[in-house]
Amino acid sequence: MLEPTYQADVVVVGAGIAGLSAARRLTSAGVTTVVLEAAHEVGGRMATEKVDGFRLDRIGRLLSTAHPELRPGPEGPALLPFDPGVLLHSDGRHHRAGVQPGARARGTRSALHAVRALASAPRAGAGPRRPAAVPGRQVSVPRRRSGAPLGTAMDQARLGAALARLAGTPVERLLARPELPAAEALVARGLPARTIDGFLRPLLAALLCDPDLTTSSRCADLALHAFASGRLCLPEGGAEALPQQLARTLPPGTVRTGVRVTSVSTTSVATAEHGEFRCGAVLIATGARAAAELLPGLRVPDFHPVTVVHHTTDEPPATGASLLLDADRGGPVAYTAVVSRVDPSRAPAGRTLVTSTVLGPSVPGIDTAVRMHLARLYGVSTARWETLAVRHTADAVPAMRPPLDLRRPVRLLAGLYVCGDHRDTGTVEGALRSAQRATAALLTDLGVNRPLHTADPVPTARAA
Ligand SMILES: Cc1cc2nc3c(=O)[nH]c(=O)nc-3n(C[C@H](O)[C@H](O)[C@H](O)COP(=O)(O)OP(=O)(O)OC[C@H]3O[C@@H](n4cnc5c(N)ncnc54)[C@H](O)[C@@H]3O)c2cc1C
């Protein structure tokens, strides 16, 4: 039982990535802080479930090594990169796309050979297999008349140039571009239809968790900018490694789990079972819906629902550590990967973990539909794959439709602040940026002028 009249300079409500990042900034500035978390673990939506030695993320989250909010820290978990670019499935074949010139030059020869081998192999059961690729020998990739999913060599060159231009464009300039729904902006920018349908649509749907691409084109540009400037990656040990690392940097006793806040004012919070906490200021760092319960009148956005399905198999598909997207959109899976190839710590020794993400509302029989789709995507039978978990989150990602205010207010009153992914982009990076803005406002109001550290001690990007 906690002291009912516990005193702190600031009470932070919610120990997701935003609340923990804010607490770190506040405690670094010498402000006494307590974080109250309703769940029994920290991390919020970045939770990792442990099942039979597997580490299963609730979110099939794709981070980018390019994000400035995720600067390397010596003690943080490593960010483990996927193979460069993405693997696109189209008409029974795999095609590598979106590889940055730097990644190619750094020697991804074996990955490219693997892709060529995959590209030359027809779908399982679709006919005789071609000879396997011999490392070091060029393997011919059959040309398809349609050129799908990436179009002609000229289309691919234009795509490469467009991605390189995007990577070199300052974020401020991207944010000053006219704003449209992302699907309309893709067409308006004059890219070939094949490039849009075969690559950009499935990639953006995966990055934004938005299958219809109703998201603001500014968010889409930010997502593509991060994709083109870095590598998609996963935190070693599961998504929870990032919030847990932040929690470890806080003074002992700062985070109290199992404490649900029921109401707030500028000087106190009331909890369900632990009485009242007095303080100098309150920062609400919950998701949007819980924030609106505590702060009636706060806008609740629509959400993109997401289902994550985890399977294990004794026979790992031969896609290496690639992120596999379906350019044909021939089933429910938006993207999938053999994540134990990216991060072996997520599966017991000798086991394989395949994690797949389905965008949209929950539907009955999703596991069967996902298995059938995975069989086509990987070109193997999935009949004997074992399902480890199917996790649906209705309020997974706040919708970011235009016109979008990327810097929604975080200071409601002197003494009352709000942060989280609903105040910025609906992403982990947005949650972190909103925490930075909220703590800056809070410290100004408290009259604390001490310099803050500028980065959270989260992951270190590790070479492939
Ligand atoms: C399935 C899924 C897929 C996703 N995919 C992506 C993706 O691809 N890319 C991306 O960028 N983002 C993705 N996200 C979103 C990303 O996880 C969130 O943007 C980010 O984790 C939000 O962090 P937060 O700290 O703002 O909120 P949260 O993580 O929601 O943390 C809020 C915390 O507040 C606590 N809380 C709530 N009410 C109370 C209360 N009354 N008292 C005390 N504590 C309370 C909650 O228990 C929670 O721990 C995905 C999310 C899910 C679920």
Side-chain angles (χ1 to χ4, degrees):
M1 198 68 180
L2 302 170
E3 287 294 320
T5 53
Y6 183 92
Q7 305 272 346
D9 291 334
V10 179
V11 170
V12 176
V13 184
I17 194 91
L20 292 169
S21 167
R24 174 168 161 82
R25 289 172 183 279
L26 293 168
T27 54
S28 301
V31 172
T32 61
T33 304
V34 64
V35 183
L36 303 181
E37 166 56 52
H40 291 284
E41 304 277 346
V42 302
R45 275 168 279 170
M46 298 182 77
T48 301
E49 200 179 340
K50 287 81 177 173
V51 176
D52 295 338
F54 291 92
R55 303 179 68 82
L56 310 179
D57 277 358
R58 179 165 157 198
I59 69 175
R61 172 68 176 109
L62 303 169
L63 296 170
S64 167
T65 54
H67 274 296
E69 292 79 9
L70 299 172
R71 290 203 187 99
E75 289 154 23
L79 283 182
L80 303 176
F82 286 92
D83 285 345
V86 293
L87 210 53
L88 291 167
H89 173 270
S90 178
D91 201 16
R93 290 163 199 274
H94 290 155
H95 310 255
R96 176 77 53 190
V99 179
Q100 297 83 358
R104 212 178 247 147
R106 272 203 308 273
T108 52
R109 238 175 117 230
S110 57
L112 290 173
H113 278 302
V115 173
R116 288 191 181 119
L118 286 163
S120 68
R123 187 173 52 219
R129 278 184 178 272
R130 286 169 176 267
V134 178
R137 198 187 320 152
Q138 180 81 8
V139 178
S140 71
V141 179
R143 274 185 94 83
R144 305 182 63 236
R145 220 170 286 151
S146 68
L150 286 171
T152 62
M154 179 64 82
D155 292 339
Q156 294 184 38
R158 286 173 69 187
L159 172 65
L163 287 176
R165 264 199 313 277
L166 196 60
T169 306
V171 165
E172 302 71 45
R173 284 211 6 231
L174 294 179
L175 294 179
R177 284 179 168 189
E179 192 183 26
L180 288 170
E184 288 177 30
L186 288 179
V187 176
R189 287 183 190 155
L191 286 161
R194 267 194 304 238
T195 310
I196 295 175
D197 289 335
F199 175 63
L200 291 169
R201 270 182 198 278
L203 176 66
L204 277 174
L207 296 176
L208 302 169
C209 296
D210 173 10
D212 300 323
L213 297 190
T214 56
T215 298
S216 158
S217 54
R218 291 185 182 156
C219 294
D221 283 344
L222 291 179
L224 283 179
H225 180 269
F227 174 79
S229 333
R231 287 270 288 273
L232 294 177
C233 55
L234 295 173
E236 186 174 29
E240 70 170 16
L242 302 182
Q244 282 188 347
Q245 167 61 17
L246 279 172
R248 275 196 294 274
T249 64
L250 299 174
T254 302
V255 180
R256 315 290 176 98
T257 55
V259 183
R260 175 169 292 281
V261 171
T262 52
S263 67
V264 298
S265 74
T266 54
T267 53
S268 69
V269 304
T271 69
E273 290 123 3
H274 298 282
E276 188 183 51
F277 283 64
R278 298 250 171 82
C279 53
V282 176
L283 171 57
I284 295 173
T286 66
R289 212 177 285 285
E293 281 167 20
L294 296 171
L295 299 167
L298 204 73
R299 190 181 72 91
V300 180
D302 294 338
F303 291 90
H304 295 303
V306 178
T307 306
V308 181
V309 185
H310 299 279
H311 290 105
T312 184
T313 166
D314 296 334
E315 294 165 18
T319 47
S322 297
L323 186 75
L324 177 56
L325 308 177
D326 189 5
D328 297 341
R329 284 179 281 167
V333 175
Y335 58 97
T336 178
V338 184
V339 299
S340 51
R341 293 296 296 270
V342 184
D343 177 4
S345 77
R346 295 184 185 220
R351 306 294 302 277
T352 299
L353 175 63
V354 180
T355 297
S356 311
T357 298
V358 175
L359 306 177
S362 166
V363 290
I366 189 73
D367 186 35
T368 307
V370 165
R371 266 169 199 270
M372 289 167 64
H373 194 192
L374 290 177
R376 290 194 297 278
L377 289 176
Y378 286 110
V380 298
S381 169
T382 55
R384 293 180 53 212
W385 286 19
E386 183 190 336
T387 304
L388 295 166
V390 179
R391 296 287 174 259
H392 179 75
T393 308
D395 292 354
V397 178
M400 302 176 276
R401 300 199 181 95
L404 184 68
D405 181 0
L406 285 175
R407 302 288 178 265
R408 278 186 291 287
V410 289
R411 179 184 186 274
L412 305 179
L413 296 169
L416 197 53
Y417 310 82
V418 59
C419 67
D421 63 349
H422 53 108
R423 313 311 295 166
D424 199 286
T425 58
T427 62
V428 174
E429 297 77 20
L432 289 169
R433 279 193 300 268
S434 74
Q436 184 176 0
R437 288 192 291 126
T439 46
L442 202 157
L443 290 170
T444 302
D445 286 349
L446 289 179
V448 178
N449 295 317
R450 262 174 259 182
L452 292 175
H453 71 283
T454 51
D456 288 317
V458 278
T460 309
R462 188 187 285 173

